Amino acid sequence: MWAFLNGEFISKDEVRISPFDRGFLFGDSIYEVIPSYNNKLFLFHEHFERLKNSLSIINIPIPDSINNLDLLIKELIKKNKFSNQAIYIQISRGVDPIRSHVADDATLPTVFMVSTELDINPYRENPQKKGLKLSLEQDIRWKRCDVKATTLLPNIIPFHDGDKSNVDEILFHDGQKINEGSKSNVFFVFEDLIVTPPKEQNILLGVTRNYFLNRLSEEGFNVSEKEVKVDDLSKADEIWVTSSTKELQPVYKVNDIVLPEKEYKEYYWYKALKILEEDLKSNS
Ligand code: PMP
């Protein structure tokens, strides 16, 4: 497998990053994950814009090498050969041998990229597969979840706290307000209304979230960005999570609340996945 580090393509096993990299010492870095299907990037522009936005919010200068990011990624995809890949890009403020909150002005960002084979969403092939199990947790993350920061301790701890072997995703709530998953955005269906928490809440503006919001409303579904409360969970007809690698996946259970079951073709999530499948056909 190939990776990309600071302007060079090298074997994944040969990647070396200094422990003085601020990404390692401080989590002073941001990342992006972009899917490619049949060797074609999906929603590249949206991911690129978010990457630049994350860099600009934390004042890391945009490295020159990413001006041609699409070409670099295409090269990586070619080298790593899998027809479907997830491309991981991380940019840190760079290596500074003096460990200080204040980086030296001369510090140059570290740009790292690697890709892995992308497993196709199992719910496309098998829509009758049992949905995901979610565990509700208090959201203790920082207040800038719009930045796709690598500093992910609060997203990781709940998976390592007690027995979570049965839990597929953590659903964060802030008091009554439901925000998002630890690695996904969340959608709810109440009768014929599809709802996702608004961008004013402390969430990452998921590229997949925005894609489904736009496409579902273009296709005439009743979609809205609105606060959803913990107390509303037991009234939901469907819950889904979305992300670039998982696409859209249905939820079966949140803590002890089990979602109602019906014939799979009647689920809104199934209809949403069909829209994606059609769009992917025209993407290739
Ligand atoms: N929220 C969080 C906290 C995430 O980590 C992710 C996945 N990176 C998402 C939402 C989904 O974002 P996207 O659709 O852009 O992959």
Side-chain angles (χ1 to χ4, degrees):
M1 292 292 284
W2 289 84
F4 174 92
L5 182 65
N6 297 330
E8 267 187 290
F9 287 97
I10 45 177
S11 154
K12 194 175 156 211
D13 300 330
E14 280 165 22
V15 177
R16 301 281 180 273
I17 293 177
S18 163
F20 293 102
D21 194 286
R22 297 179 59 91
F24 180 75
L25 289 176
F26 295 108
D28 190 359
S29 56
I30 54 91
Y31 74 111
E32 243 342 290
V33 179
I34 312 181
S36 80
Y37 298 91
N38 294 322
N39 305 312
K40 292 250 169 68
L41 288 166
F42 187 56
L43 304 175
F44 170 77
H45 183 71
E46 289 78 353
H47 284 281
F48 188 44
E49 287 305 307
R50 187 173 63 187
L51 178 76
K52 289 190 291 185
N53 191 46
S54 294
L55 288 170
S56 113
I57 293 171
I58 67 168
N59 297 308
I60 290 182
I62 295 179
D64 289 343
S65 62
I66 71 161
N67 289 331
N68 295 323
L69 189 64
D70 52 342
L71 298 178
L72 293 175
I73 298 176
K74 280 176 193 158
E75 181 78 26
L76 187 67
I77 291 172
K78 223 183 191 175
K79 284 179 176 296
N80 284 336
K81 297 197 170 87
F82 298 113
S83 42
N84 304 314
Q85 298 181 30
I87 294 93
Y88 177 85
I89 304 153
Q90 179 171 340
I91 301 177
S92 80
R93 203 177 301 273
V95 176
D96 184 348
I98 296 173
R99 186 190 173 282
S100 160
H101 283 53
V102 189
D104 189 286
D105 282 347
T107 310
L108 292 174
T110 300
V111 179
F112 170 63
M113 265 202 303
V114 72
S115 75
T116 49
E117 185 170 18
L118 176 66
D119 292 327
I120 294 297
N121 182 0
Y123 294 93
R124 280 213 243 155
E125 175 109 315
N126 179 12
Q128 302 196 64
K129 181 178 155 67
K130 194 135 201 117
L132 306 180
K133 285 193 192 139
L134 270 50
S135 172
L136 260 183
E137 301 277 344
Q138 177 68 36
D139 197 344
I140 59 160
R141 300 174 303 163
W142 73 327
K143 293 183 179 138
R144 291 308 306 263
C145 289
D146 54 327
V147 177
K148 200 163 166 60
T150 57
T151 336
L152 288 170
L153 264 184
N155 306 52
I156 289 166
I157 294 167
F159 284 107
H160 298 267
D161 171 20
D163 181 14
K164 292 285 182 5
S165 50
N166 269 333
V167 172
D168 299 297
E169 174 60 313
I170 306 297
L171 186 58
F172 287 129
H173 69 98
D174 180 5
Q176 270 295 319
K177 213 186 279 180
I178 294 180
N179 283 335
E180 63 177 333
S182 73
K183 47 189 173 173
S184 59
N185 291 110
V186 63
F187 283 75
F188 302 85
V189 178
F190 299 101
E191 297 183 353
D192 67 349
L193 180 63
I194 301 167
V195 188
T196 194
K199 55 179 181 306
E200 292 72 25
Q201 280 183 219
N202 191 27
I203 60 170
L204 179 76
L205 277 182
V207 168
T208 323
R209 168 195 183 273
N210 298 348
Y211 162 82
F212 279 113
L213 268 179
N214 292 336
R215 292 295 288 117
L216 285 164
S217 100
E218 278 168 15
E219 296 291 329
F221 290 90
N222 199 354
V223 191
S224 156
E225 289 173 88
K226 247 179 34 186
E227 183 181 319
V228 173
K229 294 191 162 55
V230 172
D231 287 347
D232 297 329
L233 282 174
S234 55
K235 299 176 212 145
D237 293 302
E238 297 175 33
I239 301 178
W240 332 324
V241 291
T242 63
S243 81
S244 299
T245 51
K246 300 280 187 293
E247 301 175 346
L248 178 159
Q249 301 196 350
V251 172
Y252 148 69
K253 202 174 176 189
V254 182
N255 285 2
D256 291 329
I257 301 167
V258 176
L259 278 294
E261 282 191 43
K262 53 182 161 185
E263 166 61 22
Y264 73 86
K265 286 189 180 156
E266 288 172 23
Y267 284 119
Y268 283 96
W269 68 258
Y270 177 77
K271 296 171 190 171
L273 259 190
K274 286 283 153 203
I275 296 174
L276 172 69
E277 275 186 310
E278 282 308 306
D279 286 355
L280 286 178
K281 275 185 206 155
S282 42
N283 183 56
S284 61

